[in-house]
Amino acid sequence: MFPIEKYHMAESVQDAVRALAEDENARVIAGGTDVLIRLHEGHADYRNLVDINRLDELRRIWKEDDGSICIGALASFTEIMNSPLVREFVPVIGESVATVGGPQVRNRGTMGGNICNGAVSADSACAALVHEVDLVIQSPDGERVEPVLGFHAGPGRVNLKTGDLLTHFRIRPENHENMGAAYYKYAMREAMDIATIGCAAGLRTKNGAIAELRLAYTVSAPTPIRCPEAEKTAAGQPLTTDTLDAIAQAVEQDVKPRTSWRATKEFRMHVIRTLAARVITEAAAKLGEQVA
Ligand SMILES: Cc1cc2nc3c(=O)[nH]c(=O)nc-3n(C[C@H](O)[C@H](O)[C@H](O)COP(=O)(O)OP(=O)(O)OC[C@H]3O[C@@H](n4cnc5c(N)ncnc54)[C@H](O)[C@@H]3O)c2cc1C
């Protein structure tokens, strides 16, 4: 049923990296919720697999001494949603992965796979962009850290090279402290559907004004994106409906939605503008602030 030609069960991170480096066609299998579907559909691109499921160190979720929160690439969506550390320090990551598929997919699928598959609709991508998550990658040349900003290279493409294994995500304190954040997934059905548009805001306020806004979207451009024009428009402005209107206008310069069978470009633009106000209002509420 699955046209697998070579299969290697990795016994350690080094073993996985070695197996990946030896064969440029080898691909990682984590939860397999994308890989097995592609194989089932007859795609040849996952015939040589390096399975990382025995690498329990990649399932951990922990806090470092400097306050960074780390999420192992192999932690399932369910483990992330239920993690006390995620709930306390980066709750929007747990809230966004809680919108993925159904319970079976959330029990198997991982945030590592969700970011590494390069999908423009990935539900963890907006929260990752808002928290400016670092990707810690092990390669034959050692460890390197890549920001999630710029990691997506195009539809279904990311900046991973032969031999690369994502080991964990790191969220540094400057990217989560004193930040209220919210995610909303607009989909055609309430459950088991990928996003028509996903949107997250990360907000910091000072004396009732916006000190910093981070606004991110999925399915609004060829890759998940942040919104520099909207963020600039928000900086220093009072938390009012007029400011939210100005942000919703500015966001039009940041996005490039397209028409697909799910929705027209015009409808997507309407959802994009609407969601900006919604997620910023929710992010403000998490800081105990209200939009005047
Ligand atoms: C029924 C169903 C519903 C779904 N609904 C949603 C949804 O609502 N929202 C959503 O965002 N997604 C959805 N998905 C997609 C899927 O569940 C996710 O993309 C999932 O996060 C993939 O994770 P995985 O561990 O299963 O990855 P895998 O399938 O194992 O791998 C995915 C890709 O990432 C690579 N990869 C995985 N881990 C690593 C690593 N550590 N280092 C380097 N490369 C790696 C693999 O080589 C592969 O290219 C759905 C899937 C199904 C089957």
Side-chain angles (χ1 to χ4, degrees), residues 63-255:
K63 184 166 178 247
E64 294 190 333
D65 289 344
D66 70 350
S68 295
I69 304 299
C70 295
I71 300 174
L74 203 49
S76 70
F77 295 125
T78 303
E79 286 162 341
I80 295 171
M81 285 157 55
N82 293 336
S83 158
L85 283 174
V86 170
R87 285 178 183 217
E88 182 173 352
F89 296 102
V90 285
V92 73
I93 293 187
E95 288 156 17
S96 61
V97 301
T99 70
V100 174
Q104 287 165 312
V105 174
R106 293 196 290 270
N107 287 342
R108 286 299 310 165
T110 66
M111 185 162 155
N114 203 228
I115 295 295
C116 290
N117 72 12
V120 68
S121 58
D123 275 311
S124 64
C126 280
L129 284 167
V130 155
H131 282 304
E132 298 192 358
V133 164
D134 288 327
L135 279 65
V136 183
I137 296 164
Q138 198 68 41
S139 79
D141 303 326
E143 187 179 279
R144 73 174 193 279
V145 178
E146 288 221 8
V148 70
L149 282 166
F151 183 68
H152 290 86
R157 288 189 292 117
V158 293
N159 290 325
L160 285 178
K161 297 189 282 288
T162 299
D164 281 351
L165 176 72
L166 172 72
T167 58
H168 59 281
F169 300 95
R170 181 186 294 139
I171 304 124
R172 284 174 280 131
E174 60 266 37
N175 290 319
H176 69 77
E177 282 176 359
N178 306 315
M179 187 180 282
Y183 174 68
Y184 190 84
K185 170 181 182 171
Y186 181 89
M188 286 163 71
R189 293 191 310 166
E190 293 238 327
M192 291 290 282
D193 198 3
I194 68 160
T196 302
I197 299 285
C199 177
L203 186 72
R204 287 183 167 121
T205 56
K206 198 171 178 191
N207 303 327
I210 297 175
E212 185 186 13
L213 172 68
R214 299 177 179 186
L215 191 63
Y217 285 93
T218 56
V219 213
S220 302
T223 63
I225 51 158
R226 280 274 295 274
C227 298
E229 288 304 321
E231 293 175 7
K232 241 187 286 166
T233 301
Q237 297 305 307
L239 201 47
T240 61
T241 50
D242 282 351
T243 300
L244 296 191
D245 287 346
I247 294 168
Q249 286 291 318
V251 92
E252 292 185 16
Q253 296 170 63
D254 294 312
V255 297

Side-chain angles (χ1 to χ4, degrees), residues 9-24:
M9 174 61 89
E11 296 295 341
S12 65
V13 167
Q14 286 67 30
D15 182 36
V17 170
R18 185 193 45 73
L20 289 166
E22 274 173 5
D23 176 1
E24 63 176 359

